[in-house]
Amino acid sequence: MSNISTAIDALLQARLRQLPEVQRESERWHTLGEHLAELDDALADLRAHTTMDAELVTALTLPQLTEIQLAVAQAADSFRVIASRFTRTTVNIGVSGAARMGKSTLLQSISGLDDNQIPTGHGIPVTAVRSRIFHSPSVRRAELEMHSPESFLTAVISPLHAALDLSPAPRTIAEFRDWVYPEALPDTRHRVLLTRLRELQSALMSYEPLLTGGVKTVPLEEVRPFVAYPTHEEISKAGERVGRAYAAVREARIECAFPHEHVARIGIVDLPGLGEVVADAERRHVAGLRNEVDAVLVVKRSSDTSSFFDETDTAGLGLLDEVRGFVRSTGEFAYLVHNTDPDKLHLAENLRGDLLRNVNGGEPDRFFTVFETDVRDPERVGREVLGPLLKRMAEGLPVMDAEVLAGTRTQASSVRDRTRLQLTDLRRALDQVARRAGVPEEVNEAKAAQLRSTIAGRLRVLVAELATEAHGSVLDQGFGEAVEKAYEDVLGWIQDGFGKGADTWKEEALTCMITEGHAAAFAGPEFSRIRVEISRRFAALDDFFTARLTAAWDRTAAVLAAECGALFQDDDSRQADSASGSDDATATPSARSGRDVLAELAELFASSCQPCPGLASAVNSLLDVRLEYRTLLYPRVRPDLAPLNLQVTHPDTGEQMQQVAVPLTAEGAEHLHELFNSLAEQAAFRIQRSLSQEAAVPAVVIHALVEQFEDTLIRSGTSVMEFRRFVRSYRNDLWPAEFKGIDEANSRFARVLRVTQDISKALEEGQR
C-alpha cells in the first residue's frame, strides 16, 4: 500500500473514532428539540386554562420559542450531517465545471469509464443526473435511485413552473400530461426552460413507467440514457418521441475499477455543469456539494472562446465558497483543473496568465491550487491531478474536519445561550403563575384537618354505641338465640343415639365390650367422640360471630363513606356526579359490603401518590380480625366437658376413678346408653348455661376492635401527616367541584416545570 493510501486509511479511521461523540451530540440536540416541542405544547395548554388571566397568558408567551426550535433543529441536523461525513468509508471528490470544459472527459480519465456511462458532447450539455462513482475491484454496475411520481413533480416539474411563473404546478402525472403550455415566451432563458418543460411532457410516455421509487440496477453498458440528455443525432432522428429516461432518475451510483493507484477509498461525484440553463440550478448545485464531498475539482478549458475566468466561473467558485461551511481555507476545499490542449498552447498560456493574475492575485496557488493537465490523457490525469490532490487531502482533511466540528459546536453554543435566555424569561413568568395560581399548602392542611376531625367525630359516636351494646343491662338477644339453637341441636343429636340411632349405638357398645372383655374399650373412645361433636355443634355460633363482625365492618365503613364516599363510587356514578357538578362527599357506596369498602380504602391509603402506610395498616388490622367460638369462648366452656371422660375425679377424695362399670350384657349396654345420655345432656346444659353468662363477650370484643381502630386511625404518631398526604392525593375525588379546576391548572403548571428542567439538564449535558 502506498503512503497516500495509508494516510487516507488513517484519516478515515480517525473520523470513525470521533463518530460516537458526534452522534451523541446530534442525539442531545434532537432530544432538546423534542423537549422544546413539548414545552411549546405545555405552555399552550397552560395558557388555555380558565384560571389564567390575560396578564399571565402574555407572560407565558415566548415569541422567540419557534425561532429557537428551528435553530435547535438545525444544530441537530448539523451534527447529524457531520456524523454522516465521519461515517463515510470513502474520501469523496466532486467534479464540476461549465459545459464544454472537459468535466465528463476528466471523469472518464479518473474512473476508466467511457461515453456509455459518462457521456461527453460537443457544444451542448450532456450530464443530466448527478452520479456517484466508486472504485470497486470486483463489482461493475449502476444502481439508479428512481423518482416516484410525487418526487418527480416536486423536484423537477414544480421548479420549472416556478421559474416560468406558471402556477399552480401539476399535482398528479395525469395533470402534467394534459397541461396546456404556451407556444413561446419572449425572454431567452424562459424560452429555454419552457422548451425543457415541453420536452419532458412530450416524452412522458418514455419514462412514466420508470417512476417507481426505489432502486433500479442496470449494466454499465446500458446506463447512458438514464444519466445523459439525448444527443443531437437522437433528437434529429426521433423528434418529440425521443426517450428521456434520465427524467425518472434522482441519482446514480456507479461501481467500477479505477485505472489508478491510491484509489481504494476514493469516490467521485459527477455534478451537473455550472452555467447550465436549468430551473433552480444554483440550489441544485449547492445541494449536490453540501457535506457530501471533501474536495471539489473545477474544470476550466482554454479555448478560442474561453481563455479567461468569466462570470460563470466566478459564480461557480462563489457557490463553492458558500458550501465549504466552516472550512477556513477555500483553497483546501476547491481546486482548479486547467484543461490544456497540446495543439493550442497559446490558448493555454492565456488562461494560465488569467488564473495567475485574476484568481490567485499574481502568486501561484495563492488562493486556489491549479492542476494543469490534458484531461483526455488518463496517465497524465493520474500523475498531475489525482496523485497531488490525494496527497493534499491526506494532509489537509483532518484539519478541515476539525474546523467543521469546531465551527458547528461554536454555532450550537450560540443556540444554547439563546435557549438559556428564553428559559430565564420563562422562569420569571412561572414565578408569577406560582404566586397567583394554585392551591396553597395551608388549604391542603385545613382540608386534611377537617376530614380527620369529622371522621374522628363519627367514629367516636360509633364507639360509644358499641360501648353501650357491650356494657349495657340488656343482653344480646341474638347471642342468646344462637346459643339456644346450638343447644337444641346438640340435644337432638344426643337423643338420636349420638348420631347413630339408639339401637345401633347399643349394639356397637355390646359387641365391643364382649370382644374386648370390658366396657372401657368402647366407653373411652366414645367419650372422646361425643366431646368433640358437642364442641363442634356449639361452634355453629361462628355464624353469629361472623354476622356481628360483618355488621361492625358495615357500620365502620358507613362512617368513613360519610366523609369519603366519592372515592368508592363506580366510574359511571363518578362521571354522573362530575357532569351534574355534584360535590357530595357523603355519598355511600351502592350495593357493596363494608368489608369491600374498607379493603378499597386500605388500598387507596397504600397506593396513593403520597402513600399513607399508617392509615392503611389501621384498616388492614381491623379487617384481619376473626371472631370464632373455638378461640373466643371454647376455653371458657372446656371444663363443662370434663365429665365426659372414662376417668373422673372423685368429688370427696380427689382420686381418679372410672365411672363406667356395667356387665357385658344387653342390659349393661342399655345401662351404658342411659349413662352416656345423662352425662352428655348435663354437659350440653352446662355449656349452654356458661355461654349464656358470656353473652356480652362478642359485643365487648367488637367494641374493643373498633375502639382500637379509631385510636390508631386518628391518634397514631403519623396520623396528621398521612391525612395531609391523603388529601393531596385524592382531593379532586373528595371535593371535585372545589379542586378539580385548580388541580388541572397545577398539573399543567407542573408539566411546564418538568419540561423546563429537562431542557436545562439537556443544555448542561451538551456543554460538558
Side-chain angles (χ1 to χ4, degrees), residues 58 148 317 384 400 461 485 569 609 744 749 758:
T58 301
S148 66
L317 287 180
E384 298 171 351
M400 287 192 286
V461 171
K485 182 180 178 181
Q569 294 178 6
C609 60
E744 283 181 354
F749 179 77
D758 290 342

Side-chain angles (χ1 to χ4, degrees), residues 415-432:
V415 177
R416 185 181 293 112
D417 291 342
R418 291 174 58 198
T419 306
R420 282 201 181 99
L421 184 60
Q422 285 292 289
L423 286 184
T424 300
D425 294 342
L426 177 59
R427 290 189 184 100
R428 294 195 190 99
L430 293 177
D431 287 342
Q432 294 184 47

Side-chain angles (χ1 to χ4, degrees), residues 124-151:
I124 60 172
V126 291
T127 304
V129 174
R130 182 174 65 195
S131 298
R132 301 171 186 270
I133 310 168
F134 296 94
H135 169 71
S136 173
S138 58
V139 177
R140 182 178 172 83
R141 68 184 173 201
E143 296 176 357
L144 307 178
E145 182 182 351
M146 310 306 290
H147 275 298
S148 66
E150 295 76 17
S151 68

Side-chain angles (χ1 to χ4, degrees), residues 466-759:
L466 293 174
T468 299
E469 295 170 9
H471 306 294
S473 58
V474 179
L475 295 179
D476 188 334
Q477 183 177 354
F479 180 75
E481 292 174 353
V483 171
E484 188 62 29
K485 182 180 178 181
Y487 175 59
E488 294 296 334
D489 179 63
V490 171
L491 290 181
W493 176 76
I494 294 172
Q495 292 166 6
D496 186 35
F498 305 104
K500 297 181 178 181
D503 292 340
T504 300
W505 191 92
K506 286 183 283 186
E507 182 178 344
E508 289 181 359
L510 179 59
T511 300
C512 182
M513 288 188 298
I514 293 174
T515 301
E516 301 298 333
H518 54 84
F522 176 79
E526 189 66 2
F527 274 130
S528 297
R529 185 178 76 86
I530 292 172
R531 286 197 310 273
V532 171
E533 185 62 22
I534 291 176
S535 294
R536 188 188 68 78
R537 289 179 179 268
F538 272 108
L541 289 173
D542 284 350
D543 293 339
F544 168 80
F545 294 142
T546 298
R548 285 297 184 265
L549 186 56
T550 298
W553 286 334
D554 289 343
R555 293 166 75 178
T556 306
V559 166
L560 296 169
E563 297 301 326
C564 308
L567 291 174
F568 311 117
Q569 294 178 6
D570 57 33
D571 292 339
D572 292 339
S573 301
R574 198 170 295 166
Q575 291 173 4
D577 286 348
S578 177
S580 64
S582 172
D583 192 16
D584 182 12
T586 64
T588 56
S590 58
R592 298 183 63 191
S593 69
R595 179 179 180 83
D596 289 343
V597 171
L598 290 172
E600 183 175 349
L601 180 62
E603 177 62 24
L604 290 170
F605 282 144
S607 62
S608 62
C609 60
Q610 296 185 1
C612 311
L615 302 183
S617 176
V619 178
N620 284 325
S621 295
L622 179 62
L623 291 175
D624 285 342
V625 169
R626 298 291 181 271
L627 294 185
E628 298 173 332
Y629 167 82
R630 180 173 58 84
T631 57
L632 187 64
L633 295 179
Y634 181 67
R636 305 190 183 198
V637 303
R638 176 65 188 179
D640 296 325
L641 292 169
L644 289 172
N645 273 289
L646 183 63
Q647 298 286 335
V648 295
T649 302
H650 192 281
D652 297 327
T653 65
E655 296 179 353
Q656 290 292 310
M657 57 175 286
Q658 183 170 313
Q659 61 176 331
V660 177
V662 296
L664 305 181
T665 63
E667 291 76 9
E670 179 71 31
H671 178 69
L672 186 64
H673 180 260
E674 292 174 357
L675 175 63
F676 267 77
N677 265 17
S678 175
L679 292 174
E681 288 177 355
Q682 292 174 25
F685 175 76
R686 287 192 298 272
I687 292 173
Q688 185 259 356
R689 184 180 58 188
S690 296
L691 290 177
S692 298
Q693 295 172 355
E694 302 292 339
V697 170
V700 170
V701 172
I702 293 293
H703 168 252
L705 291 174
V706 177
E707 185 176 41
Q708 174 66 20
F709 167 73
E710 182 254 354
D711 208 26
T712 305
L713 189 77
I714 302 301
R715 284 174 288 280
S716 67
T718 60
S719 176
V720 172
M721 175 189 68
E722 292 191 14
F723 264 97
R724 290 175 182 172
R725 291 180 176 180
F726 182 64
V727 165
R728 290 191 199 103
S729 300
Y730 298 108
R731 63 188 177 209
N732 278 0
D733 299 293
L734 293 168
W735 305 284
E738 184 172 349
F739 285 103
K740 186 174 182 180
I742 296 175
D743 272 0
E744 283 181 354
N746 282 349
S747 176
R748 299 181 186 190
F749 179 77
R751 181 188 175 200
V752 173
L753 283 180
R754 177 183 59 77
V755 178
T756 302
Q757 292 167 355
D758 290 342
I759 293 172

Side-chain angles (χ1 to χ4, degrees), residues 50-69:
T50 55
T51 60
M52 298 294 112
D53 58 31
E55 185 178 349
L56 289 177
V57 168
T58 301
L60 291 171
T61 302
L62 301 178
Q64 295 185 38
L65 183 56
T66 301
E67 181 182 340
I68 287 179
Q69 284 181 269

